[in-house]
Amino acid sequence: MSTTQTINSLIENGNRYANSLTEYSRRKTITVNVGDVPMGSDYPIRVQSMTTIDTLDTLGSVEQTIRMVESGCEYVRITAPSVKEAQNLDNIRKELRVRGYSVPLVADIHFTPNAAELAARLVEKVRINPGNYADKKRFETIDYTEIGYQVELDRIRDKFLPLVNICKEYGTAMRIGTNHGSLSDRILSRYGDTPLGMVESALEFLRICEDENYFNIVLSMKASNTQVMVEAYRLLCKKLAEEGLKPYPLHLGVTEAGEGEDGRIKSAVGIGTLLEDGLGDTVRVSLTEDPEFEAPVAKALIDRYTHRKEKSTTISAYTPNSTLQTQHSFDSPINPFQYFRRHTHEVANFGGHNVPRVIADFSQIEVSAHDDLKPIGHFYLPLPDKWTMNDLGADYIYTANNPAKYMLPMGLKEILDAPAWDKQTDKVNKFPLFTLEQYQTQSYRHDFLNFLSINLSNLDTSVIGQIKADKTLVLVVETDNEHAMPALRRLFFELIAQNISTPGVLVRKYENLPESDFQLFSATDCGGLLIDGFGDGILLKLPDLSEKAELLTKSKSYNSTAFGILQAARTRMSKTEYISCPSCGRTLFDLQETTALIRKRTEHLKGVKIGIMGCIVNGPGEMADADYGYVGVGKDKIALYRGQNVVKKSVHADNAVDELIGIIKEDGVWFEPAASLEAVFE
Ligand code: SF4
């Protein structure tokens, strides 16, 4: 059966992978015991991270582990690339216990069963990568017969069984952690580079564990591509249930998310989407920063769900008029295992094949000076009296009742509340936003673009008829529900059920949130919908503030967050993308410094993806998605990649960034950076 056929049959058999898609309901799992911090079932969703210090540096590892525990980590993972490091886990663990820290330790294993078998006797949990536990990567495509494939599975069993037996004997937990970038040649040959391949990669090992009555297992399906990662976790849940395997707890993570705002937003889009689905029992956020900065991000993502059920109002799972017949809250009219954008017709530059649009909220800001538009990427040049914009130039501003006091640049349009729009002399270059009541009682309209604010409870039969008949409409979809993502998802389900192809703009507003939480929550709410294929625009409303300067500062970060969410959900590329690993004890160069240097030289290359990986063992596979790669292969030695192919095997670190740029130039992708508009206008 082909991959497409397999996915189609899954859909035909129902889309169930979560308890509910329309209210928060955490997936029930078995309990997994990891030292004295159990995971899954009704236990809290756990926070974890990974050290970056050389595992042979006992005191350094102990001190970093303590900093991580103090920052919120409930499990700490440490790499064990060989038996030497595995042995030293014992010293690290003992010293931690002497200092009063009982945090469970997790040995991270790639390629080395002997290190895993030793570590499983010493620490509370072992993580294996099913892509490389029993296989070396040869980048071969092999045409297996059924018998040939079975021989391979028998070979895996022989290699893996000793570890399973040790884990059973010592009460050690195990994570079978698939990475999109390091699938075995066997899996790639049979299933391709797909979410289904990722799932099967773990199941090959899981079936062996269940045959041996070993169940102390956690599963993960990480990828740098958030769409692939979400699809793989969902498919895993479905396949576990279908095969009658136990509902194992899930470890959530986006690999190589990067650093700073981009890394946080990308993590939230991937991890947050699954938490909204009720999936996930432990979270690791991977940032190219010191590991103690990761736990607070994971904690902020998790804490949002602690009392979610009590705060949410119920969202209807069934609508009598719906052709969906959604009698179950897990029914879905979309394929949750493969990305498809909802079909919409084009209205102006919304919907159809247009990228999702960014609307900046200026409802509290009077647009009176040219500089007022700088925070949203539009810059006025007095000489020669013209406007220019950067890659994060917003497409529209929403000014409510407060029309801009001058003519806006060509690349920026204005949306006004309908009554204010009706009073404008220039009604062509400005567009009205109607409430439902205004839309139904007023006859004035723009000729080709009108916005209608709508929420789920508005969608009765007469409104559905009006929306369908009006080809100038763009819907602005809102909700007051605390559980906003499923509430809006339910609304989009209804649009599909009613055959409405009108584009929809996602709106969110958050009051009294720290900036860091705003980024994570908006990325979760909007990112989850974008990954489901919903959203033709995004409007992040500013919190209520009185000072214009404060509002302008906020509008800059909100605009950047909006573009960041679209990029992280892979729906609109406006920046260079850095797929940089978080570093670990295997790292062969200063990842943070190198990432900053590469970013400085290349951040004008919009849409180009650059992988920056600390080591050769794991790196090239992990950056499967990148256009170019920079990978540590030895002390001060770097390999440079074009896609998956190495083009320079061993370049000295001093020249490696220049050589990388040379490769980009050879491909004709390079152009010289213009002076930063912001720097010019400061
Ligand atoms: S790619 Fe980075 S995080 Fe992954 S094993 Fe290598 S150095 Fe460690």
Side-chain angles (χ1 to χ4, degrees):
M1 194 184 271
S2 72
T3 304
T4 313
Q5 283 170 324
T6 308
I7 287 175
N8 286 344
S9 88
L10 288 174
I11 295 167
E12 279 158 23
N13 293 330
N15 287 338
R16 187 162 195 180
Y17 65 89
N19 292 346
S20 172
L21 300 181
T22 54
E23 62 176 346
Y24 182 68
S25 173
R26 187 171 162 200
R27 169 179 170 263
K28 274 269 176 237
T29 74
I30 60 167
T31 301
V32 165
N33 293 303
V34 189
D36 55 8
V37 185
M39 185 198 304
S41 58
D42 290 327
Y43 290 102
I45 303 171
R46 305 291 188 186
V47 174
Q48 63 171 293
S49 183
M50 186 169 179
T51 59
T52 55
I53 299 242
D54 184 343
T55 309
L56 294 178
D57 176 353
T58 309
L59 282 186
S61 297
V62 166
E63 277 158 19
Q64 191 175 55
T65 298
I66 291 172
R67 289 198 297 278
M68 291 162 68
V69 171
E70 303 295 346
S71 74
C73 281
E74 295 169 279
Y75 309 119
V76 171
R77 184 156 47 113
I78 303 177
T79 188
S82 76
V83 168
K84 261 188 328 197
E85 285 87 356
Q87 184 61 56
N88 205 44
L89 293 174
D90 196 31
N91 297 325
I92 295 169
R93 188 173 178 279
K94 282 181 178 148
E95 180 61 23
L96 283 165
R97 301 299 180 261
V98 166
R99 296 192 189 196
Y101 289 88
S102 61
V103 60
L105 298 184
V106 186
D108 193 62
I109 306 290
H110 297 272
F111 295 112
T112 46
N114 55 354
E117 289 163 22
L118 175 57
R121 295 178 164 97
L122 301 174
V123 293
E124 288 77 8
K125 185 172 158 206
V126 188
R127 177 272 167 121
I128 63 142
N129 179 340
N132 59 29
Y133 191 79
D135 296 276
K136 293 266 178 293
K137 196 92 185 133
R138 296 199 171 80
F139 297 98
E140 290 171 349
T141 306
I142 306 151
D143 192 8
Y144 289 104
T145 60
E146 283 307 316
I147 294 173
Y149 206 88
Q150 189 53 49
V151 169
E152 278 290 291
L153 295 180
D154 292 342
R155 183 180 63 78
I156 292 172
R157 174 180 289 271
D158 290 345
K159 264 204 151 160
F160 184 48
L161 260 186
L163 177 63
V164 174
N165 288 329
I166 293 166
C167 288
K168 271 173 74 176
E169 184 186 342
Y170 284 77
T172 309
M174 183 190 295
R175 169 159 67 100
I176 303 175
T178 302
N179 275 6
H180 180 217
S182 51
L183 297 175
S184 66
D185 291 347
R186 180 183 59 264
I187 287 286
L188 288 172
S189 299
R190 179 159 277 206
Y191 298 98
D193 180 15
T194 60
L196 184 61
M198 293 173 68
V199 171
E200 279 300 327
S201 176
L203 294 188
E204 286 181 352
F205 283 72
L206 184 65
R207 292 180 193 116
I208 297 168
C209 295
E210 286 219 347
D211 286 349
E212 298 301 314
N213 289 321
Y214 172 64
F215 307 109
N216 211 25
I217 298 166
V218 182
L219 300 169
S220 65
M221 296 282 124
K222 296 194 192 180
S224 170
N225 178 326
T226 51
Q227 291 177 358
V228 169
M229 173 256 187
V230 167
E231 288 157 13
Y233 277 100
R234 289 174 172 174
L235 196 54
L236 172 68
C237 293
K238 179 168 178 63
K239 293 280 279 178
L240 287 175
E242 273 183 352
E243 274 198 37
L245 297 161
K246 290 192 185 300
Y248 293 94
L250 301 178
H251 163 128
L252 304 186
V254 176
T255 51
E256 286 76 44
E259 51 173 350
E261 174 186 311
D262 290 346
R264 284 162 177 76
I265 289 175
K266 192 169 182 183
S267 299
V269 168
I271 295 167
T273 299
L274 292 164
L275 290 171
E276 287 289 339
D277 281 346
L279 309 185
D281 303 281
T282 178
V283 168
R284 192 266 167 116
V285 168
S286 304
L287 300 173
T288 309
E289 297 177 20
D290 291 340
E292 48 269 40
F293 293 116
E294 296 179 336
V297 180
K299 194 157 168 21
L301 286 171
I302 291 167
D303 282 351
R304 212 174 168 211
Y305 302 89
T306 309
H307 298 291
R308 169 58 62 87
K309 215 174 163 78
E310 297 105 84
K311 286 190 222 157
S312 306
T313 44
T314 308
I315 305 156
S316 69
Y318 174 66
T319 306
N321 295 327
S322 170
T323 54
L324 269 180
Q325 299 299 306
T326 41
Q327 298 185 42
H328 303 289
S329 56
F330 54 80
D331 278 348
S332 156
I334 62 162
N335 178 351
F337 313 116
Q338 194 169 15
Y339 176 78
F340 287 105
R341 187 170 169 190
R342 172 181 158 251
H343 168 72
T344 53
H345 58 259
E346 186 177 62
V347 183
N349 59 357
F350 286 89
H353 295 297
N354 292 288
V355 292
R357 298 295 163 193
V358 171
I359 304 174
D361 178 17
F362 273 64
S363 55
Q364 302 173 70
I365 304 172
E366 184 176 81
V367 182
S368 52
H370 289 134
D371 278 0
D372 293 343
L373 299 180
K374 266 170 46 180
I376 57 161
H378 291 266
F379 301 83
Y380 177 68
L381 300 142
L383 281 175
D385 183 21
K386 68 172 200 182
W387 288 87
T388 185
M389 65 192 272
N390 66 17
D391 290 335
L392 302 189
D395 303 294
Y396 288 79
I397 52 172
Y398 167 55
T399 54
N401 299 307
N402 216 359
K405 300 289 179 278
Y406 54 83
M407 190 196 265
L408 296 180
M410 285 289 284
L412 184 68
K413 305 285 181 216
E414 184 175 2
I415 303 168
L416 287 150
D417 286 343
W421 174 82
D422 193 40
K423 294 190 192 116
Q424 300 300 299
T425 42
D426 172 14
K427 289 206 180 71
V428 177
N429 292 308
K430 300 172 191 264
F431 306 95
L433 168 63
F434 294 89
T435 62
L436 185 57
E437 197 205 341
Q438 289 160 355
Y439 185 74
Q440 292 183 321
T441 55
Q442 303 299 323
S443 57
Y444 56 81
R445 297 283 189 271
H446 190 280
D447 285 346
F448 63 85
L449 177 58
N450 297 283
F451 294 87
L452 171 62
S453 176
I454 197 101
N455 62 44
L456 186 58
S457 60
N458 293 147
L459 273 181
D460 62 27
T461 315
S462 73
V463 176
I464 287 166
Q466 285 174 304
I467 293 172
K468 276 186 171 174
D470 187 346
K471 296 300 179 208
T472 70
L473 264 192
V474 168
L475 301 176
V476 173
V477 297
E478 310 202 43
T479 181
D480 294 329
N481 198 311
E482 181 92 14
H483 201 179
M485 188 271 194
L488 294 177
R489 172 157 63 188
R490 177 69 185 83
L491 190 153
F492 279 105
F493 282 4
E494 195 60 29
L495 296 180
I496 292 175
Q498 301 295 348
N499 261 327
I500 294 174
S501 59
T502 308
V505 172
L506 312 175
V507 183
R508 295 298 297 131
K509 180 169 184 174
Y510 307 87
E511 294 289 356
N512 306 318
L513 272 188
E515 188 79 14
S516 54
D517 283 357
F518 157 74
Q519 273 175 1
L520 299 176
F521 296 179
S522 58
T524 297
D525 293 346
C526 299
L529 293 162
L530 290 161
I531 284 196
D532 275 351
F534 302 144
D536 304 287
I538 181 167
L539 166 56
L540 298 176
K541 287 192 172 168
L542 300 182
D544 295 336
L545 295 167
S546 50
E547 294 297 322
K548 182 170 179 178
E550 206 182 344
L551 285 160
L552 285 172
T553 305
K554 277 254 182 266
S555 79
K556 181 173 181 183
S557 73
Y558 274 47
N559 189 58
S560 172
T561 298
F563 277 101
I565 293 169
L566 296 178
Q567 173 128 350
R570 305 178 84 81
T571 53
R572 178 172 178 174
M573 295 308 199
S574 48
K575 316 176 188 180
T576 315
E577 184 160 340
Y578 299 95
I579 303 167
S580 56
C581 82
S583 88
C584 71
R586 293 176 192 262
T587 309
L588 291 162
F589 56 87
D590 186 328
L591 247 157
Q592 291 182 37
E593 199 179 289
T594 307
T595 303
L597 184 62
I598 295 176
R599 180 185 280 275
K600 192 168 165 209
R601 302 275 303 273
T602 61
E603 67 185 350
H604 60 292
L605 300 176
K606 173 175 161 177
V608 173
K609 298 195 222 66
I610 301 178
I612 308 161
M613 298 291 144
C615 77
I616 186 72
V617 176
N618 207 20
E622 304 274 357
M623 55 173 202
D625 236 19
D627 302 311
Y628 299 98
Y630 182 109
V631 180
V633 284
K635 180 132 183 50
D636 294 329
K637 294 286 174 222
I638 306 298
L640 299 174
Y641 285 70
R642 179 183 283 118
Q644 288 279 288
N645 303 317
V646 64
V647 279
K648 302 222 170 178
K649 279 192 179 149
S650 180
V651 179
H652 195 278
D654 290 349
N655 310 323
V657 176
D658 286 337
E659 298 260 3
L660 174 70
I661 289 168
I663 296 168
I664 299 174
K665 284 182 178 170
E666 276 169 31
D667 293 352
V669 177
W670 179 266
F671 57 92
E672 292 305 323
S676 153
L677 284 170
E678 280 173 86
V680 168
F681 284 89
E682 278 315 323

